[in-house]
Structures are given as C-alpha cells and as structure tokens.
Amino acid sequence: MFKRLTYGMVGGSKDSQIGIVHRKAINLQGKAELVCGSFSRNFKNTLATGKELKIDEKRLYRNYEEMAEEESKRSDKIDFVSIVTPNSSHYEVAKKFLESGINVMCEKPLTITLKEAEELKQLARKNNLLFAVAYTFTGYSMLRYARELIKRGEIGEVRFINGRYLSEWMAKVPFAGKNSRHEWRSDPKVSGVSNCVADIGVHVENLVSFLTGLKIKSLNARMDKFVEPDRLDDNASILINYDNGAEGIYWTSQIAMGHENTLDIGIYGTKGSIEWSQEHANYLKISKVNHPFITLSRGSQEVDDFIKNDYVTPGGHQEGYVEAFARVYDKFISAITKKKKGELLEQRDLDFPTVEDGVEGMRFIEKCVESTEKGASWVEF
C-alpha cells in the first residue's frame, strides 16, 4: 500500500476561516497528512496553530521562505503546499515553492496580475510540477454530471448562459474596518485590481468553462463601487460573447440583500437546458424541447456510475461544500501519487482546476477592469 502524502500550509492559522476549510477537505479522504506550516506572519500564532494541530515544532516556520528552503532539503519533504493567504502574496509564495520543487495548491484568484499568473504557469511546466487552484465548486457531483450531459450533446449547441454569484456581506455601511477578517478584500494593496469579480466572479467564469468548454471571445463589464467608492468593486454586471457564437450574462455581487451565498448556473442550448443552484446542490433541472422538465437528484439511476463512484455519501444525503472541495483535493492528490510512483499521467488524471484555469481567471479579471475603465465598452478577450 502506498504511503499517505504529506503537505504543508502557508496561511490558514487557527483563526482563519478558509484554512480550516482546506484542512477539513483534505482530511475527508484521508490521503494526505499535514506535517508543517507557516500559518501566520506572527510566529506565536503559527506556534499556537501548530500545537493545536499536533505538528512537530521543528517543522513550524517563521515565514514561507524558510519553510520552502528547509522542506526542500529534507528526504521526507512535503509532497505539496496549500497556499491560503490573501491575494497579494499568492505569486511570491507559489513561486518560492515551485522553485523548491514542491507541488502547489493555491487559493483563487491565482495572483493579482495576469503577468504573474503566466509566470507561475511557465515555472510549474518548466519544473514538471502539478499546480491546482481552489475552484471548489467544480467538485460538486451534479455539476460533473451536467458537464457529461453537455459534452454528449443532450442540450444541443449552447446558445445562452446565465450565471449569478450573489452575497450580502458588504451591504453594511460603513464597511471599512468593521470586519477585520474580510476588510482586506476591498483594499487594492492586498486584493489587487478587483474585489468582487476576483473573489466570486471568477467562480462563475471558471464553472462556465468547466461545464461547456467554451472560450470567451469578448466581454462588456460594469464594475460598481456602491459601498466604498474609493476602494474596490462590490458588484458587477458582465455581458459575454463566446467563441461558438453563444452569449451570456454574469451578475456577481457582495451587496445583494437576501442572498447569503447564491450561486446559480443556467446553460441553454438548441435542444434543451440545464440549471443548477449551489443552495440545492443535489439536483439538476433538465428541460428538453417538447418534454416536461425533470428534476434529477444525485441518487437517480440515470447518473453515471463513474460519477457515483466519487460519492462520499450515497444519493439522498445532502452533498456540501467541504465534500465538493474534498473531491477537488482528491483528484489533485491522486495525480501527485500516481506521478510519484513514476507512472505517466493521462489527461483524465488532471480532472481538477489547474494553473491554466487560474491564468484564465486572471485574464477575466483584467478584461473586466479594462472594459469598466473604458466606460463599459466591449473588449476582446
């Protein structure tokens, strides 16, 4: 039996929301063990987090540079690192670990500029390393089944796409300084050129690409700053033209009262449509010409066995965010394991969001900003 992989984490101290989510997702499948970390710029916080997680104090590091350098020298060096820091440090942290020969899982957005993202892609390729990006929602079972249905032509050629990712957490005025955990998101020094589009809009862009394989040809974006006019966007409306002639509209918002975490995707084709909502993740609504629509659950016999084989719990039980994220990690960890055994990776082994997806996310962000700065004009992608 092959030994469990080991990993380290940069960021994600005991008070970090997203760090805890990453650790729970990895633990769900039990294929990798957390053995080291630099969880905070405050070393006392790193030590406290490491103690809580029962990590050997010798493998708790003052900063990510020390961690990458020391781990790369070990005969039992970590197999991958999870980067769960704010946006502005993703590039420098990921670059250091890639240069040290360590595979990477990074939170999105991948970086704060397209140039940085492209550099990481080239570095991962040069050093023959695997690089995943935390587009969690691609792990949901019914979205994976929807992808298969679209690929088989069940809804015909895609004509129109509607995507929404709505939340309300910035709707309080004044916002700045009121929530230390999230206040950095609207600070351009930490978040980069975007808040709302970079934080949740990229999930819509990535899911559409994941489901349909379509490429954006051009877009027209209006990024709003309702709460803090002198900081970053908190709402955006984006029109899309795709390479097959289809069109789309994305609405992404952090000021939509009444929406805690609404992620809806609708794909409309020449023969039918598929709709999915994250708040009802067990179900797909499938409509076809001259047929009544059906609501298909993840327990339905129509769902392919290769989709069901990845279930943590059987159909009839609610599949949640951590389970979806665990599936993304499982695909990533399985690929590392196969590569570590010296086996050749096939395309199907890379069924997780890669650095290439992260690059496209950064291109999407920058093009939305460019369009907005040009008075919501159409820009080529």
Side-chain angles (χ1 to χ4, degrees), residues 292-311:
F293 75 81
I294 62 171
T295 300
L296 197 67
S297 76
R298 64 190 287 267
S300 301
Q301 62 181 13
E302 288 88 347
V303 178
D304 294 328
D305 286 341
F306 78 91
I307 299 289
K308 291 181 177 178
N309 289 341
D310 281 342
Y311 286 2

Side-chain angles (χ1 to χ4, degrees), residues 125-241:
R125 186 174 297 170
K126 175 186 173 185
N127 291 351
N128 192 27
L129 294 166
L130 293 175
F131 196 134
V133 180
Y135 288 117
T136 306
F137 300 103
T138 60
Y140 275 104
S141 299
M142 293 308 278
L143 280 177
R144 289 180 166 259
Y145 183 53
R147 178 179 60 171
E148 293 304 311
L149 294 177
I150 294 168
K151 192 182 297 182
R152 293 174 197 164
E154 293 289 334
I155 65 169
E157 185 177 4
V158 175
R159 286 174 169 166
F160 192 82
I161 297 169
N162 182 36
R164 305 189 307 161
Y165 198 151
L166 313 176
S167 60
E168 62 182 358
W169 63 274
M170 279 192 71
K172 298 176 182 178
V173 181
F175 170 75
K178 296 297 182 182
N179 188 327
S180 58
R181 177 180 285 180
H182 298 298
E183 198 261 335
W184 64 267
R185 293 189 181 278
S186 63
D187 183 350
K189 293 179 181 178
V190 185
S191 272
V193 294
S194 169
N195 167 35
C196 185
V197 171
D199 186 26
I200 56 180
V202 290
H203 278 300
V204 178
E205 177 272 330
N206 177 254
L207 270 186
V208 171
S209 175
F210 172 81
L211 288 168
T212 68
L214 295 179
K215 303 296 183 184
I216 297 175
K217 183 179 178 182
S218 59
L219 62 77
N220 180 313
R222 185 185 67 196
M223 298 166 71
D224 306 303
K225 302 177 182 180
F226 289 118
V227 177
E228 299 175 287
D230 59 336
R231 285 164 77 91
L232 294 175
D233 54 301
D234 49 37
N235 187 80
S237 311
I238 307 161
L239 297 174
I240 307 286
N241 288 328

